[in-house]
Amino acid sequence: RPSASRRNGSSSKTRTSSIPKSTKRPRQQPSQQSQEEESKPSKKPKPPPDAPPSLVKLLQKDKSVFSYFLSLQENLFYDVDKWKKEAKKWKALAEQRAIDGKV
């Protein structure tokens, strides 16, 4: 007659001591993670390296390439400013609702 451990599919010969334990931290719930990320200031990235000489020559030589990069930069500034204003608007709305008790 098989033992109880063999009926369950486990065996006394199974070696569990050779399996390394995980050193990973358990996952946090998304709400906890996002709250922690919001409270931490974002880390400023390293400054970009100097432009390669070939790029500098190309920008000086071909004005359309220079115009292209200038346009990208202007659009980036516009988008950043737009989303900063949008974030301020929603933050003010959330604060107002919290004051009014509608949350």
Side-chain angles (χ1 to χ4, degrees):
R1 182 174 180 163
S3 66
S5 64
R6 290 183 194 252
R7 276 184 268 158
N8 294 335
S10 62
S11 169
S12 60
K13 294 181 181 179
T14 305
R15 295 188 312 192
T16 57
S17 61
S18 64
I19 300 172
K21 290 184 178 180
S22 176
T23 57
K24 292 182 179 179
R25 293 188 347 220
R27 279 190 174 181
Q28 295 178 341
Q29 295 297 327
S31 61
Q32 290 174 334
Q33 207 171 18
S34 62
Q35 288 173 353
E36 288 178 11
E37 289 173 1
E38 288 175 8
S39 63
K40 293 180 185 177
S42 59
K43 213 175 192 182
K44 185 175 180 180
K46 293 179 184 176
D50 289 338
S54 58
L55 177 61
V56 174
K57 285 180 186 177
L58 176 64
L59 290 169
Q60 290 171 343
K61 185 177 174 182
D62 191 345
K63 296 300 176 189
S64 65
V65 175
F66 180 77
S67 298
Y68 173 76
F69 279 104
L70 190 60
S71 176
L72 284 177
Q73 186 178 27
E74 289 170 350
N75 279 282
L76 176 65
F77 287 146
Y78 172 81
D79 287 343
V80 168
D81 189 50
K82 172 184 157 185
W83 288 108
K84 281 183 179 180
K85 289 177 183 177
E86 188 75 12
K88 276 185 182 179
K89 180 179 90 173
W90 285 104
K91 183 177 180 181
L93 181 64
E95 288 172 349
Q96 186 60 43
R97 286 190 174 191
I99 292 170
D100 294 343
K102 293 182 181 179
V103 177

